[in-house]
Structure formats: C-alpha cells, structure tokens
Amino acid sequence: MDRKSSQTFVIIMAGGVGSRFWPYSRNKRPKQFLDIFGTGQSLLQMTYNRFLQTAGKDNILIVTNQQYAELVKEQLPDLEQDQILLEPARRNTAPCVAYACYKIHKKNPDATVVITPADHAIFNEDKFIATVEEGIFAAQKEGNLVTIGIKPTKPETGYGYIQYSEEKFGAARKVKTFTEKPELEWAKKFLESGDFVWNAGIFIWKTSTIIKEYENSLPEMAEAFDDGMEHYYTDTEQQYIDKAYTQCRNISIDYGIMEKANDVYVVLGDFAWSDLGSWGSLYDNLKKEENENIVMGAELLPYDSHSNIIKTDKDKLVILQDLEGYLVADFEDVLMIVKKDQEAKFREFVNDVKNKKGEELL
C-alpha cells in the first residue's frame, strides 16, 4: 500500500484540557502541547510526525479549541490555516469528527480518514503504522467503520473494551460489543475470555461512509455540517462553524455512531500503547530509576522512598524520606503531594481547587 496516498487524510484531535495531568497540564497549555517524555517534542508534534508516514503533510488536519490556535501554529508551522480547524466550544468527539470529515469530503469525496487523539504514546511506531494500514485497507469497503483495539496487558478499568467475533474483513474482526470502563471484576473476565481488546479511540473510514452514519444516527448534527459545505475552505467557514456548534449535542463518536452502526470492525494492535490518561498511566510507561522512582526535571535524593513520581521545574533538588506510591508535582504556583494511583480522588482535588480557588490555578 502507498503510505502517502492522496486519498488518505489524518485528523488529529487536540482540543482537550488534560485536567488529569494538572498541575503540569493547565488550561492555557494542556498536555498535548507539553514535552512529556523530554524528547524535545510535544505529544502533538510526536503524533503529527508519526502520521507523516501515512499521509502527506497537506493531508493532516488538526481540530482544536479556538484558544489553542496559536499553540498549534507555533508547534506545527508547516500547516496551512485551512488545516487547523477551530472549535468554538467543547462538544465531545462527535461534532469534532463531523466537522473535519465533512470538510475533507468537500475537497475529496473519495477520501479515507484516520482519526486519532493528539496525546497518545506509541512505543513501537513500525507496528503501529502497519496496524493503521490494515485498518485503511478494511475501511476501503464502503460502509465499513474501523477502529483499533489494543491487546490488554492487565484488567484496566480506565479504558473502554471492544469484544470481537471470528468474522473478518482482511485483518479486521467484526465488533460484537462495546463496553465503557468496566468494574474490576468485569475487566478480569474480559481478559480471561480472550476476545476483548482495549478501545484505543482511533477510527478509520471513508468520509462517504461516516456521512451516511451521521445522517442515520445523528441527523441534526449531519444537517448542521452538511449545510456548511458552501463555507468550507472560504472566508466564511469560521463564522459558520461558530453558529453550527450551537446546534450540536455534547456526545462522543462512540456513543453517537459506533455503538449504533452495523458494519464495525476492529484491527487488533500490539504496539506498546498508552492513552496517557493519568499520572498513574505515565508511571506505567516511563523508565524507572533506582527504587522504582520516576524523576522528571528534578534531582532526587531518596531515603527509603519507592515507586514515586517526582516532576518539578528543571534542576530542583528534591529530598524524600519514607514515601511510597506518591506523586510529587511542583509547578509554578502549585505544589501537590498525593497518592499517584487514586485517580478518582485526584479529580476531587482538581474540582475543589476550581470551586475554592477559582479557574486561574487550573
């Protein structure tokens, strides 16, 4: 397969606020714009460069919130203005995907699109690109909706799961069920059954296929973006989109389209992946130092301290004694020392900061 077919487009969703990585990730500069791994590239830049193997740079679009327009231009200066799609409000993934797919369809009615979040970590890029190519092949059949599933390594409760059958189209398996973030006991049963994979939130289809699905399952949203055809790639596009979003429900592409469609397939991937959804997931995917600590930015002197994440402004000396399983995060005007694996509690902290201290600290 030609990895850079003119019919293949990539849509990178980069509008989230990354609140689960607070206080490192802030509203003004969320995690997709941060150099999480110390590589000199943000997660967005890493995602963009990864997909240059799949689509030419002219065929990569970024969908983000209007407040991040300058950040995208700063980090991806090769993009033209028409490749940066600006949402006036956050309405989850269904409107975001619709906007990009309808716009691309106007330019190329035969297009196949790959939709991906901007903030995933991929540790085996060759295997990942090969998996995407298998998905592109399966999506060439009109009517097929394709997603990528990750072979689970543990009974993770923070991910959605996809159950698949033996029916195949190319390398893709027919999807039987979707399950959102199950309880631990169910996650264990899914793992034992052997026919469940994690939902990576990466989708592949022809624009003609997904437009029909929007018309069937989200007709009001379909009408809103179809009426914009005369505005895409013109000076009136942003004005139209600002109006169209007021008519859009807040709904994910999973709930709005995927769980209702008939011809849904999953390509099984095994390429060392993480959605980097929390500090805990970051800990799972980074190389540990002595005593299983992860140290980012700081210089650490540990005394009987194990399995911690220490992330501070550069070159700060941190001394820890008798601490295990904690996150020590020190950025600008916030110092946070909390148990790293209690994600539900962490959300409570962030909500309390918002309610008691205001939005300026978020």
Side-chain angles (χ1 to χ4, degrees):
M1 178 183 292
D2 178 3
R3 287 189 168 190
K4 293 191 177 181
S5 166
S6 62
Q7 311 287 7
T8 302
F9 289 73
V10 173
I11 300 164
I12 300 175
M13 299 181 290
V17 295
S19 60
R20 286 182 291 174
F21 266 105
W22 184 85
Y24 181 38
S25 173
R26 303 287 183 105
N27 286 342
K28 62 185 178 183
R29 199 176 187 90
K31 68 175 178 177
Q32 62 267 28
F33 299 106
L34 300 174
D35 179 6
I36 297 282
F37 296 108
T39 62
Q41 293 185 22
S42 70
L43 294 175
L44 173 61
Q45 290 168 320
M46 292 174 72
T47 303
Y48 173 81
N49 289 329
R50 183 182 306 131
F51 277 100
L52 287 173
Q53 300 177 67
T54 300
K57 67 177 185 178
D58 293 340
N59 283 12
I60 298 179
L61 285 71
I62 312 297
V63 188
T64 191
N65 191 273
Q66 288 178 359
Q67 75 183 102
Y68 304 135
E70 293 307 314
L71 277 174
V72 173
K73 292 174 187 175
E74 170 192 316
Q75 295 199 354
L76 300 176
D78 288 347
L79 294 182
E80 299 294 333
Q81 186 60 48
D82 276 338
Q83 293 171 261
I84 304 173
L85 282 57
L86 301 177
E87 296 184 285
R90 293 182 176 88
R91 294 284 189 270
N92 215 314
T93 52
C96 156
V97 170
Y99 176 18
C101 287
Y102 274 84
K103 179 170 177 171
I104 290 170
H105 190 75
K106 176 179 179 177
K107 184 177 186 179
N108 189 331
D110 295 319
T112 299
V113 296
V114 181
I115 299 108
T116 179
D119 52 4
H120 286 184
I122 307 293
F123 299 100
N124 190 326
E125 293 201 352
D126 289 340
K127 278 189 176 182
F128 173 73
I129 295 301
T131 304
V132 169
E133 289 182 353
E134 290 173 343
I136 290 172
F137 174 80
Q140 297 300 308
K141 182 183 178 185
E142 191 74 33
N144 280 359
L145 302 176
V146 181
T147 186
I148 291 179
I150 309 298
K151 182 180 178 181
T153 57
K154 61 180 180 178
E156 173 64 59
T157 59
Y159 296 153
Y161 285 74
I162 300 170
Q163 184 184 27
Y164 59 88
S165 69
E166 292 303 311
E167 183 180 343
K168 297 177 73 175
F169 185 90
R173 307 291 188 95
K174 188 75 177 287
V175 170
K176 291 173 69 174
T177 62
F178 289 91
T179 304
E180 274 297 309
K181 299 181 180 178
E183 297 292 334
L184 181 60
E185 287 306 310
W186 279 108
K188 289 178 179 177
K189 290 177 182 178
F190 291 168
L191 232 67
E192 291 168 3
S193 73
D195 59 353
F196 282 82
V197 287
W198 289 334
N199 186 350
I202 299 171
F203 308 101
I204 309 169
W205 43 58
K206 294 175 70 69
T207 54
S208 52
T209 295
I210 196 63
I211 284 173
K212 289 176 185 174
E213 294 292 344
Y214 272 95
E215 290 170 350
N216 290 336
S217 298
L218 295 171
E220 293 178 358
M221 198 175 293
E223 182 178 2
F225 289 103
D226 185 62
D227 287 349
M229 283 296 187
E230 65 184 277
H231 299 280
Y232 302 140
Y233 300 99
T234 74
D235 292 340
T236 60
E237 177 177 334
Q238 191 62 57
Q239 181 180 354
Y240 180 81
I241 288 300
D242 290 351
K243 178 183 176 183
Y245 264 68
T246 65
Q247 305 169 45
C248 291
R249 293 165 56 192
N250 187 326
I251 188 169
S252 71
I253 191 75
D254 302 81
Y255 283 124
I257 300 291
M258 299 296 282
E259 295 185 12
K260 300 175 183 176
N262 294 319
D263 295 319
V264 182
Y265 290 83
V266 59
V267 179
L268 309 186
D270 186 12
F271 40 74
W273 166 92
S274 173
D275 75 343
L276 293 181
S278 66
W279 285 104
S281 65
L282 182 64
Y283 180 84
D284 291 339
N285 287 282
L286 286 181
K287 184 178 179 181
K288 281 59 167 187
E289 295 192 354
E290 188 179 357
N291 299 320
E292 296 296 299
N293 293 309
I294 286 179
V295 184
M296 306 169 72
E299 181 182 350
L300 177 66
L301 286 179
Y303 299 88
D304 297 319
S305 293
H306 309 270
S307 306
N308 301 296
I309 304 174
I310 298 91
K311 178 95 172 119
T312 73
D313 294 329
K314 192 174 180 182
D315 298 330
K316 181 168 286 188
L317 176 63
V318 177
I319 301 170
L320 295 185
Q321 181 184 15
D322 292 335
L323 204 65
E324 183 172 356
Y326 273 76
L327 162 68
V328 179
D330 183 13
F331 302 102
E332 300 175 13
D333 46 5
V334 177
L335 168 64
M336 184 166 68
I337 305 172
V338 297
K339 291 183 178 179
K340 73 177 189 297
D341 295 327
Q342 294 190 9
E343 188 171 330
K345 195 72 177 175
F346 181 83
R347 291 185 180 186
E348 181 183 329
F349 300 149
V350 174
N351 286 333
D352 284 348
V353 170
K354 180 179 179 180
N355 294 332
K356 296 176 181 179
K357 297 297 181 180
E359 300 255 353
E360 62 272 9
L361 287 175
L362 299 181

